[in-house]
């Protein structure tokens, strides 16, 4: 931890929902202890690592965490995108009580998933530039319009790439600048199975991994229901995946009409209804 803080000054992992909401409001992040059981971690991490290895073997892996070396060696870290289409193991995370209890506290109860991705910070990975997850919002930045739930699928430490984050920066009403003083930056810590919710305005970035083991995190990025999603769920999920999803999950991924937004032709679905992407379209018509 940064020497700028005393050990108890910052959020600690807790299962107390009131404390979690208070930590999020005050510090811009909170830590839910035991968010996933050891069996859930095993299942989710197993499917993730299998998928990551498959994408690597197929030469389609998304790599970051540093520059491409002169000899063409890709950077060490690996992202896995569009995870909802890569295993039902990831669906359950969008229905976890942390969404209603904490995410909705920040973003309202009609929040939708913006993306579900994994970030495997491998040994040698360099620190990501500090950023806000809602950098597309003009200043003044009044409210959070997005947030992240970061599932720790291994122990997170400042040494192994635990997310660099500046507590309280969600209230600074501006975006990071490389000339800023980052001495109040911490490396997120938490035992495997912890979930961290962080406000979209808080300054943060993947930490450098100085160990010999990968740091495995899964990111549920959330947004208010009127904001464009990071992953185009309607286009990126295969129909057979959508067909397996219960109504609550379809609502959570933005397949529910919100006000006048999110309709599909014919005749606007009414507010609050689930759209059916498989139903016939009207297409071209003319008077016979
Ligand atoms: O995985 C992390 O520690 C943070 C990732 C992050 O900040 C990002 O993907 O923009």
């Amino acid at each position: 931890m940064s020497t700028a803080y005393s050990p108890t000054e910052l959020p600690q992992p807790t299962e107390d929902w009131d404390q979690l909401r208070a930590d999020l409001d005050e510090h811009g992040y909170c830590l839910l202890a035991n968010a996933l059981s050891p069996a859930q971690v095993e299942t989710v991490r197993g499917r993730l690592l299998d998928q990551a290895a498959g994408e690597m073997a197929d030469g389609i892996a998304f790599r970051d965490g540093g520059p491409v070396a002169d000899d063409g060696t890709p950077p060490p870290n690996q992202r896995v995108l569009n995870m909802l289409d890569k295993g039902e193991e990831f669906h359950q995370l969008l229905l976890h009580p942390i969404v209603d209890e904490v995410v909705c506290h920040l973003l309202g109860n009609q929040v939708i998933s913006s993306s579900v991705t994994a970030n495997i910070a491998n040994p040698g990975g360099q620190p990501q530039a500090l950023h806000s997850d809602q950098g597309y919002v003009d200043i003044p930045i009044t409210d959070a319009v997005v947030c992240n739930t970061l599932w720790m699928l291994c122990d997170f430490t400042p040494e192994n790439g635990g997310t660099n984050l500046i507590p309280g920066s969600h209230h600074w009403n501006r975006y990071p600048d490389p000339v800023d003083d980052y001495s109040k930056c911490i490396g997120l810590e938490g035992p495997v199975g912890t979930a961290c919710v962080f406000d979209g305005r808080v300054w943060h970035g993947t930490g450098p991994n100085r160990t010999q083991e990968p740091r495995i995190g899964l990111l549920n990025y959330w947004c208010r229901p009127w904001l464009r999603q990071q992953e185009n769920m309607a286009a990126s999920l295969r129909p057979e995946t959508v067909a397996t999803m219960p109504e609550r999950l379809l609502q959570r991924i933005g397949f529910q009409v919100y006000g006048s937004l999110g309709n599909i032709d014919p005749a606007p679905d009414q507010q609050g209804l689930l759209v059916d992407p498989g139903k016939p379209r009207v297409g071209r018509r003319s008077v016979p």
Side-chain angles (χ1 to χ4, degrees):
M1 181 186 298
S2 162
T3 50
Y5 305 93
S6 66
T8 53
E9 199 179 339
L10 294 177
Q12 305 298 315
T14 173
E15 296 185 39
D16 178 337
W17 295 120
D18 287 331
Q19 184 64 51
L20 286 154
R21 289 185 281 266
D23 286 344
L24 182 61
D25 291 344
E26 182 178 352
H27 301 284
Y29 74 103
C30 61
L31 296 160
L32 174 62
N34 305 311
L36 296 178
S37 68
Q40 285 174 307
V41 168
E42 191 81 11
T43 306
V44 172
R45 184 177 55 200
R47 177 76 275 275
L48 163 58
L49 293 180
D50 185 42
Q51 181 71 27
E55 295 188 9
M56 199 71 95
D58 283 349
I60 56 169
F62 181 121
R63 311 291 293 275
D64 69 358
V68 177
D70 290 344
D71 66 0
T73 306
N77 295 353
Q78 182 178 2
R79 303 266 182 166
V80 185
L81 311 181
N82 194 27
M83 301 239 48
L84 289 180
D85 207 40
K86 297 175 178 174
E88 287 185 20
E89 294 81 351
F90 311 112
H91 297 187
Q92 57 182 304
L93 302 178
L94 298 189
L95 302 174
H96 190 285
I98 198 171
V99 184
D100 286 327
E101 296 287 351
V102 183
V103 173
C104 290
H105 163 73
L106 188 67
L107 301 179
N109 61 13
Q110 302 231 41
V111 65
I112 57 173
S113 171
S114 186
S115 64
V116 179
T117 65
N119 188 7
I120 304 172
N122 282 313
Q126 295 176 13
Q128 184 185 25
L130 288 198
H131 59 279
S132 145
D133 279 340
Q134 56 180 70
Y136 34 74
V137 172
D138 289 337
I139 292 173
I141 311 162
T142 49
D143 293 315
V145 298
V146 296
C147 74
N148 243 304
T149 304
L150 171 56
W151 303 92
M152 300 184 185
L153 301 179
C154 65
D155 292 336
F156 269 45
T157 67
E159 290 74 40
N160 77 355
T163 313
N164 286 337
L165 183 150
I166 305 189
S169 52
H170 60 311
H171 287 144
W172 291 353
N173 187 27
R174 60 190 186 86
Y175 294 113
D177 186 308
V179 302
D180 275 313
D181 173 11
Y182 291 159
S183 61
K184 291 206 160 178
C185 193
I186 60 162
L188 272 189
E189 291 181 75
V192 59
T194 304
C196 174
V197 178
F198 55 92
D199 187 304
R201 297 167 293 179
V202 88
W203 299 9
H204 70 282
T206 313
N209 188 342
R210 302 190 193 91
T211 70
Q212 300 306 312
E213 302 294 329
R215 188 228 70 176
I216 307 159
L218 199 134
L219 292 152
N220 287 167
Y221 186 37
W222 293 98
C223 64
R224 292 192 188 261
W226 37 259
L227 182 62
R228 187 165 188 179
Q229 291 154 287
Q230 184 173 47
E231 285 179 329
N232 189 327
M233 301 275 174
S236 60
L237 295 174
R238 291 167 304 151
E240 57 265 41
T241 300
V242 175
T244 68
M245 293 181 160
E247 193 170 312
R248 189 74 185 119
L249 185 55
L250 291 169
Q251 292 169 340
R252 285 269 189 255
I253 64 166
F255 279 43
Q256 183 177 33
V257 177
Y258 175 75
S260 59
L261 303 177
N263 283 312
I264 53 172
D265 187 39
D269 285 288
Q270 289 162 12
Q271 157 129 22
L273 283 190
L274 284 182
V275 296
D276 175 2
K279 76 180 178 185
R281 302 295 196 275
V282 175
R284 280 176 68 113
R285 294 283 174 100
S286 53
V287 179

